[in-house]
Structures are given as C-alpha cells and as structure tokens.
Amino acid sequence: GRHSMLPRHVQRLGRDWITHWNGSQILALNSPVSSCMRWAGHYPPWASFPLPISADFSANWRVPPFFGPWRQFQNSNWHLDNYTQSCCFHLPNSSMKSEGEEPLTKKRRLSAQDDTSTPEQQTDLSNQKEVSCLSVAQNEEKHGSKKGTIKRHWEYFCQQSKTMKIAKNKGSDQSSTGSEATFDFTVMSYNILSQNLLEDNSHLYKHCRQRLLFWTYRFPNILQEIKELDADVLCLQEVQEDHYRTEIKSSLESLGYHCEYKMRTGRKPDGCAICFKTSKFSLISSNPVEFFRRDIPLLDRDNVGLVLLLQPRFHCKANAAICIANTHLLYNPRRGDIKLTQLAMLLAEIASVASQKDGSFCPVIICGDFNSVPGSPLYRFIKEGKLNYEGLAIGKVSGQEQFPRGQRILSIPIWPKKLGISQNCVYEIKQQQKEENTGEKLEAAKPDNAQEIVVASEKLSSKLRHHFKLSSVYSHYFPETGIPEVTTCHSRSAVTVDYIFYSAANDGIADQPGAEDSFCGGLKLLGRLALLTEKDLWTVNGLPNENNSSDHLPLVAEFRLIER
C-alpha cells in the first residue's frame, strides 16, 4: 500500500491523530510537538512526523494529512465522539494564505472515490453520526457554555440608535419611542453554506472536525444566530431547496418572518431567500431574477437574484417603500464578463422595481455574496456608479486572484443587444420611454439626428453606468491597524466577498448633479455588527467551527428611513 512501512493500526487512523491521556503519557501543553507526541502503540524509531512549528495544543487543531484516506478511519472502530475534547488534538494548516488560492472551479466530488463500504453501511453510519451531532448541538445549546466563542460588538454611528437598541432589548415598541416619527430597521446578509456545496467541496473544510459539518449540527447553530441577531430583514444565500422547504421556512415563519425564495435554475439545488418580519413590513411585490439565458452563450450559468419591494408599517407616508435585493454572483474568478452581466441584470430589475411615479427611486438595499473583493473593478462600479472597462482583463474584474492567468480582454460591449439591457443597466424599453418623455422638452434645442447619435455612441461605448448612489455598510479595513476585515474563512481563503450596499440619504451632498432628485429620500446608517480579522477567526479554527456553522459571517446593519 501507500504507507506499507507503517503499522496497520497507524494506517487506519486516517487524517486525525488521536492520542490517549495515559498516566505515563500526559502531554505537556507547551512542549514542542516532536518531544511530547506519543502514540497509544509502538512505532519504529525511523517514523518521524515533522511539523513546521512548535505550537500549543487546542481541542480544535488538526495535523496535515500524512496518512490514509478519511474513509478508512471513518469505517474503523475508532469514533471521534467517543473521546473527550481533552484527548483529541486537531492542528490547522500553519501555512494558510489569505488570497489567490481558491480553486478555479468547484468540481463535484466523486462519491465513489476511496469508498470501500456498501451504500447501506454508509447510510447507517451517516444516520448514527447525524443523530449524535444533533444531540451534541442540543446539549451545548441547553447548557449555554460553548467554548471558543468570539464576541462581535455593535458599532454605532448615532447615540439615539444605541439608546433605542437598549430599549428594544427591554421589550419596548418602536412606535412609542420618541416624539419624532422615524422608521428604524435592521438588515442581515448571510451566506449560510449549502450542505450540498459543502460536501461537493470538502477540500475547503479539511481544518474542520467531521461532526461539525453535518447539517443536523449546523442548522441549530445558524437558527440560533438568526434568533440572537433578530434582524428585521434577512437576505440569505446558498439556501438549499429541500432544507428550505422542510426546515428553514417553517422555522423562520415561527419567528415572525414572511419568506420569499428563488432557487437556482441549474442542477445545484440552492438559491437566495429574502425574509422579513411581518410586524415591520408588508410585501408590495416579489421579483425573481434568472441570470441564465438559453439564447445567449455568455449567460450559461445558473445564478439568480431576488428583488422585493416592501412597505414599512410605521411612521411613513402611504406610498413609502424600500427595495431589498439579494444575489449570489458567479464564483469563477476568470469570468468577469459573466459577473458584470449578472450584476447589470440585477441592477436593471432593481431600477424597474424601485422606480416611482415621479421618476425617482425609492431607497435601495443590495445584499449578497458578490464573489469580488473590495477595490476590484466590479466593487468600484457598484459604489461609484460608473466603470470604463476598455482594456480590462476578464480575470481582473473581481480581484479574487492576485495574479490571474490569461489576459483575455473584455469585449465591447460585454453583452449582446438582445439581452435588452443598456449600458446604463436599465431595461432598454424603460430607457426609451424615459428618453421620449425628456426628449419632448428638449426637442427644440436638439437637431433631428441627435437621438440617433446618442444611441450609436452608446453601442460603441466601453462605459457602464447605473443610477443608484450606493454606499457600503462596511469599510473593509480596521481604521486603527489597516488590517482587512474578513467575511469568509476556510482552508483556502480568508477575504471579504459579502456586502450590504444601500442608497445613502443626501447629507451634505446636494452639490452632486441630480442627486437630490434621483431618490425619494434615502437611508441613514445607524450601526453595524463589527466584522473580524483572519487572525481572530483562526483562534477558533476558522469557519465553520463549533459555534459558527457557515464558512461566512453574517453581516448586520441598522438603518433609518429618511423620507423626502
């Protein structure tokens, strides 16, 4: 075999090293690995196990996989759950890097690989482990003494917001706080990690203990997070359809949420959900967005978006509305052309849904996993409202890879005309109607062929625009140290890819042309749930871990609706 020089019982251990606390073999916690690690059996003197550093032991550390496949250990007589945390040591990869190491594609794992057991045995073993995981999760929740928790704090930008937060925790009603009529609400964006995608990409979670990756362990943790954060609007990504139908929807409805869901259009059974508290909002319209187009070769991916128009229930005008959008853009770092087109399709739908009778837009919030890093061209386009992509390499659009392979340049235009979306990221029919309405007023001042010239120049333009003045809830770097904030952390990467963008109220920016007329009011950011650094997350063995059961962190922000 591959490790025939090793004793049989050592080969059977797989990737996790388990050592007993015997009276004669008590480990000194601060001793180097080479001098204190002992096996519960004999190994020959030539069998060395080099590690790059001397490290303190913790219950969540794991050694790099020197030995045989996990399946051999899984089907042996050893059971992780039979050992206490004090006698299992899991060491993470000490050479972890933060960027540029994501795999090119997330390929489906072959289920038959390294599999020596029958399907019936696998099913029985899986069921036993899932029941065990469920009991562990329930027991930990009952006693409320989970170890290795990192506390995230609220950052407030308004003292009144902090006061109202305390009042809310004491059970007061917003409608009776203060004499001024205001509408405050909280929004969460959270990629909850589809179980199907977790299992298909197990190489991203080699640092995790196996029992923490079962859905029966993860879902109670995720639901508990949602309960504790108590956001008024939830924008969830990677929501697996069968879990949504059987557990997630009913659980959230019992917490007072109304749920809207859009599943991906391909074979992957996950999608996006927007859930809102019926005590705070009523639904005006729900608008799913499918990015797959059979007649356009560029749009051959099954990502989706969801756009809701909500009406606040308190302290607002009869026609007040807020547009909430949620999406999960394509992952592939080298297909920036698809990412930009998907984003343009989402923005066009938002422009259609958020449009008011007077031509302005209601306040907009866009949440999601954009698979793009801060400062990338795609990120700048969202925030600045414009992007000149002439000469831009497709692999540099999202900034996911520091040194992208290939230098294929974005075509001009990126998407074909038959998509029906202009370079201003609106549906062309809507744009033509708007041009016709404004054209009547300017008809005397323009030559007859002016409109044809504008249309012809737009076709050749390499400049994208959108009509929303968007800000990011998070600043992406800690101001004191300049260290990056992190929204996702697993075995290959620790970066920011999740965002909450919002149309900010026009505070002191009336000098921007048309700014005061483009939106019907806006949103004021009152506070946010602080993010963490990569170093912070690895103190609890990255993500997922015992308390945080997704490979993403939830983003939460508090807003105040400012009406014009």
Side-chain angles (χ1 to χ4, degrees):
R2 186 177 173 188
H3 306 289
S4 56
M5 297 292 291
L6 298 176
R8 185 180 301 275
H9 67 276
V10 174
Q11 295 179 38
R12 291 172 59 189
L13 285 178
R15 292 176 181 158
D16 283 20
W17 288 9
I18 298 179
T19 179
H20 293 281
W21 287 76
N22 296 329
S24 61
Q25 293 179 328
I26 295 178
L27 306 184
L29 291 180
N30 293 319
S31 300
V33 173
S34 59
S35 64
C36 71
M37 199 67 167
R38 293 292 183 269
W39 290 97
H42 172 73
Y43 60 90
W46 47 260
S48 61
F49 308 100
L51 288 174
I53 57 170
S54 297
D56 295 344
F57 290 115
S58 80
N60 288 325
W61 290 2
R62 162 177 285 188
V63 173
F66 292 123
F67 300 118
W70 161 253
R71 181 69 64 185
Q72 293 180 9
F73 171 69
Q74 192 179 38
N75 294 333
S76 69
N77 293 327
W78 297 84
H79 293 286
L80 282 176
D81 294 331
N82 292 340
Y83 296 89
T84 63
Q85 289 186 347
S86 61
C87 64
C88 292
F89 298 99
H90 302 258
L91 285 83
N93 188 345
S94 61
S95 60
M96 193 69 60
K97 295 183 180 179
S98 61
E99 283 191 39
E101 291 198 352
E102 284 284 350
L104 172 60
T105 56
K106 295 189 173 182
K107 296 182 179 179
R108 184 172 295 275
R109 183 182 48 178
L110 297 177
S111 59
Q113 188 174 357
D114 294 328
D115 193 355
T116 57
S117 61
T118 65
E120 292 79 6
Q121 290 174 328
Q122 292 181 39
T123 303
D124 292 342
L125 182 60
S126 177
N127 290 339
Q128 290 174 9
K129 280 186 170 287
E130 292 206 5
V131 170
S132 174
C133 290
L134 181 59
S135 62
V136 170
Q138 291 173 340
N139 184 58
E140 288 179 340
E141 182 178 351
K142 179 179 178 181
H143 289 84
S145 58
K146 293 184 179 182
K147 297 181 180 180
T149 304
I150 292 184
K151 293 293 183 182
R152 296 171 62 189
H153 65 277
W154 273 88
E155 297 174 332
Y156 293 100
F157 307 106
C158 174
Q159 184 61 34
Q160 184 180 359
S161 171
K162 187 173 184 179
T163 304
M164 293 183 68
K165 195 82 173 177
I166 296 171
K168 180 180 178 182
N169 292 337
K170 291 181 179 179
S172 66
D173 189 354
Q174 184 188 27
S175 61
S176 62
T177 58
S179 58
E180 185 182 359
T182 61
F183 181 74
D184 297 350
F185 62 100
T186 52
V187 176
M188 173 195 289
S189 181
Y190 194 8
N191 182 328
I192 64 172
L193 181 56
S194 158
Q195 189 68 21
N196 182 269
L197 292 177
L198 182 155
E199 293 171 2
D200 288 349
N201 300 280
S202 58
H203 59 280
L204 300 179
Y205 311 105
K206 292 179 179 179
H207 62 285
C208 300
R209 298 179 67 180
Q210 187 74 5
R211 70 178 182 85
L212 306 183
L213 299 180
F214 288 111
W215 178 248
T216 49
Y217 184 93
R218 297 201 305 117
F219 179 60
N221 272 353
I222 292 170
L223 189 61
Q224 185 62 29
E225 275 187 296
I226 291 173
K227 286 180 181 178
E228 290 176 356
L229 294 172
D230 194 30
D232 299 314
V233 180
L234 309 175
C235 291
L236 307 178
Q237 304 90 41
E238 291 194 20
V239 180
Q240 193 163 307
E241 192 275 335
D242 58 335
H243 292 156
Y244 174 78
R245 181 170 25 88
T246 59
E247 295 177 277
I248 299 174
K249 185 173 185 287
S250 58
S251 296
L252 294 179
E253 286 177 343
S254 69
L255 298 177
Y257 291 96
H258 172 85
C259 303
E260 295 288 327
Y261 178 71
K262 175 59 183 174
M263 191 174 80
R264 287 213 263 184
T265 53
R267 291 181 296 176
K268 293 181 179 177
D270 67 281
C272 294
I274 300 180
C275 313
F276 60 89
K277 287 190 175 179
T278 55
S279 60
K280 296 290 287 278
F281 297 97
S282 59
L283 179 64
I284 299 175
S285 67
S286 177
N287 309 273
V289 185
E290 296 182 356
F291 299 143
F292 175 81
R293 286 285 297 268
R294 193 177 302 276
D295 57 333
I296 300 178
L298 174 69
L299 296 173
D300 60 349
R301 307 305 166 96
D302 59 5
N303 306 83
V304 295
L306 186 60
V307 182
L308 265 56
L309 191 63
L310 302 179
Q311 183 172 21
R313 290 191 180 273
F314 313 118
H315 303 320
C316 297
K317 299 175 183 177
N319 61 346
I322 300 173
C323 181
I324 309 285
N326 183 22
T327 192
H328 189 179
L329 297 184
L330 176 70
Y331 162 75
N332 193 332
R334 298 168 198 168
R335 292 309 305 267
D337 51 346
I338 299 178
K339 291 175 190 274
L340 283 173
T341 306
Q342 290 180 347
L343 178 60
M345 295 172 73
L346 181 71
L347 292 171
E349 185 64 25
I350 294 171
S352 177
V353 172
S355 178
Q356 304 289 288
K357 291 181 179 179
D358 61 357
S360 64
F361 295 106
C362 71
V364 171
I365 297 175
I366 307 177
C367 299
D369 180 344
F370 290 82
N371 276 313
S372 302
V373 302
S376 64
L378 187 143
Y379 173 87
R380 293 200 312 270
F381 173 53
I382 295 174
K383 283 199 65 177
E384 299 172 7
K386 58 184 179 179
L387 174 67
N388 186 350
Y389 60 86
E390 183 176 5
L392 179 61
I394 291 179
K396 293 184 177 180
V397 168
S398 64
Q400 291 164 279
E401 293 184 332
Q402 191 172 1
F403 304 105
R405 302 177 196 173
Q407 295 297 322
R408 193 157 65 92
I409 304 301
L410 287 168
S411 62
I412 302 175
I414 299 175
W415 56 82
K417 184 174 177 59
K418 65 179 177 180
L419 180 60
I421 295 176
S422 73
Q423 296 283 291
N424 292 328
C425 297
V426 296
Y427 293 125
E428 288 189 325
I429 296 176
K430 295 276 185 182
Q431 179 165 317
Q432 289 172 5
Q433 291 175 349
K434 188 174 183 180
E435 288 174 355
E436 288 173 3
N437 294 335
T438 57
E440 294 175 0
K441 301 176 183 178
L442 303 175
E443 187 175 356
K446 289 185 177 181
D448 294 338
N449 63 343
Q451 188 173 357
E452 295 178 5
I453 294 172
V454 171
V455 174
S457 64
E458 184 184 339
K459 289 180 181 178
L460 301 175
S461 174
S462 61
K463 296 178 181 179
L464 295 179
R465 293 182 177 84
H466 67 74
H467 296 290
F468 309 109
K469 185 185 66 65
L470 298 173
S471 299
S472 173
V473 164
Y474 290 91
S475 54
H476 315 309
Y477 296 90
F478 289 93
E480 303 85 2
T481 61
I483 297 174
E485 297 172 337
V486 165
T487 67
T488 180
C489 180
H490 49 65
S491 293
R492 295 288 186 90
S493 179
V495 292
T496 286
V497 293
D498 307 278
Y499 304 93
I500 301 177
F501 297 104
Y502 67 102
S503 52
N506 299 314
D507 295 334
I509 54 171
D511 55 330
Q512 184 175 346
E516 65 277 3
D517 296 323
S518 60
F519 282 91
C520 183
L523 298 168
K524 182 177 182 180
L525 180 63
L526 301 181
R528 66 191 178 197
L529 185 64
L531 288 170
L532 302 170
T533 67
E534 178 182 2
K535 183 178 179 181
D536 291 334
L537 288 172
W538 282 116
T539 63
V540 289
N541 201 39
L543 296 172
N545 56 53
E546 291 207 11
N547 303 312
N548 310 101
S549 287
S550 173
D551 58 350
H552 292 248
L553 292 173
L555 282 58
V556 188
E558 183 178 13
F559 298 102
R560 173 167 297 164
L561 176 63
I562 306 296
E563 294 185 280
R564 188 171 63 178

